[in-house]
Amino acid sequence: MAIFLVFLAVALLLFGAWLSVLLLRQARPRSRERRVALVQVWRQWPEAGDEVERQRRGQLLLAVAPAHRDAVLADLLQLEARLADEAAPLRLLRAEMMDSIERRLLNQEILALPEAARAEIRAASPEPLPDDAEAQAYLAANELRLEILREYAARRFGDRAPDDWFAVYEHAARLRQRGIRNYLQRILAGEHAGAAEDRQQAMNLVDGELRRRLLEVAPGTRFPGLAGP
């Protein structure tokens, strides 16, 4: 284990150095903050884009129950109020989006397990986990919240571009999905918990470093080749 941790530490240092060099090579456009009300983004979001995009957004809205839509809007308005006191509001917005991507990943993986395995995980969890119907509703509401945040960040800070930090983080989450799935399966199969958790902690260290770096990049920074196909 000691050798593994040394290797992991070296890998993290190399990763950080490589990403730093890459960031220095990117154009770093200046952030021009605009005055944008979140409620305005909420109202305009369903009608933005071409016809195909509007249909997709309409389907997402229909997948979220009215009461859940109201809860999402109330939560977003509370977040907007918090941003007024933040020294780095864009950083907080990105962190919220990253958290939404992580919640999506975990809930999708739990729902992908066999029914008996889902029941076992929910029974073993120290905190109550939603049943299948609640999890599906939660995923839809989480996706709606994520898309509104993405639109808001784009309009207020110009924080959206092809192959940007968001695309990189989503791609990393997809790559990590197999690791999460294997971790859950090992736990359910009765594998020694310490070994499974050691692997998961190693993944979390690398993910944490990626997250820390991406929170700091300038709006519009692109990462060709790192955002996946």
Side-chain angles (χ1 to χ4, degrees):
M1 179 55 65
I3 295 176
F4 172 75
L5 291 176
V6 170
F7 172 78
L8 177 62
V10 173
L12 287 172
L13 287 173
L14 291 174
F15 172 80
W18 167 79
L19 188 55
S20 296
V21 171
L22 181 63
L23 291 176
L24 289 173
R25 292 177 178 174
Q26 305 298 320
R28 296 182 62 82
R30 295 178 61 188
S31 176
R32 295 184 178 180
E33 185 174 351
R34 303 173 180 85
R35 295 185 62 182
V36 178
L38 199 147
V39 70
Q40 180 183 14
V41 175
W42 174 271
R43 290 170 180 164
Q44 295 175 349
W45 177 82
E47 301 303 322
D50 58 22
E51 183 177 354
V52 173
E53 178 62 13
R54 289 195 298 271
Q55 288 179 354
R56 186 193 68 80
R57 295 183 181 198
Q59 290 171 354
L60 177 56
L61 280 173
L62 289 175
V64 182
H68 293 167
R69 289 201 297 269
D70 292 342
V72 168
L73 177 57
D75 176 76
L76 289 171
L77 293 176
Q78 289 178 359
L79 175 60
E80 184 180 35
R82 287 170 53 202
L83 293 174
D85 298 324
E86 282 290 321
L90 178 56
R91 195 179 190 283
L92 176 58
L93 278 176
R94 285 182 180 174
E96 289 285 334
M97 285 185 268
M98 289 176 175
D99 289 345
S100 289
I101 291 171
E102 297 302 324
R103 289 192 291 266
R104 173 210 287 163
L105 172 63
L106 180 59
N107 281 277
Q108 283 179 340
E109 284 308 306
I110 291 176
L111 284 172
L113 292 170
E115 183 176 355
R118 296 198 301 273
E120 185 176 345
I121 284 180
R122 286 170 177 141
S125 174
E127 297 181 1
L129 291 177
D131 60 26
D132 286 0
E134 291 171 335
Q136 292 285 5
Y138 175 83
L139 274 171
N142 182 67
E143 205 64 26
L144 175 60
R145 181 179 185 272
L146 175 60
E147 293 211 15
I148 297 296
L149 286 175
R150 178 72 161 149
E151 186 80 11
Y152 179 68
R155 294 194 190 185
R156 179 171 171 180
F157 298 99
D159 191 37
R160 182 168 56 194
D163 299 330
D164 67 353
W165 72 267
F166 186 88
V168 171
Y169 201 80
E170 280 201 314
H171 182 55
R174 288 193 296 270
L175 293 177
R176 197 164 63 251
Q177 231 167 331
R178 178 177 295 181
I180 297 290
R181 186 178 305 126
N182 291 340
Y183 173 69
L184 293 173
Q185 290 172 346
R186 287 194 296 268
I187 294 298
L188 291 170
E191 180 178 321
H192 177 57
E197 290 182 3
D198 285 344
R199 295 189 187 96
Q200 188 61 33
Q201 287 175 5
M203 291 170 54
N204 291 342
L205 283 173
V206 176
D207 295 337
E209 180 66 11
L210 175 64
R211 179 184 176 113
R212 186 179 71 82
R213 299 279 179 168
L214 292 178
L215 283 172
E216 303 300 336
V217 300
T221 302
R222 300 181 61 183
F223 302 91
L226 291 183

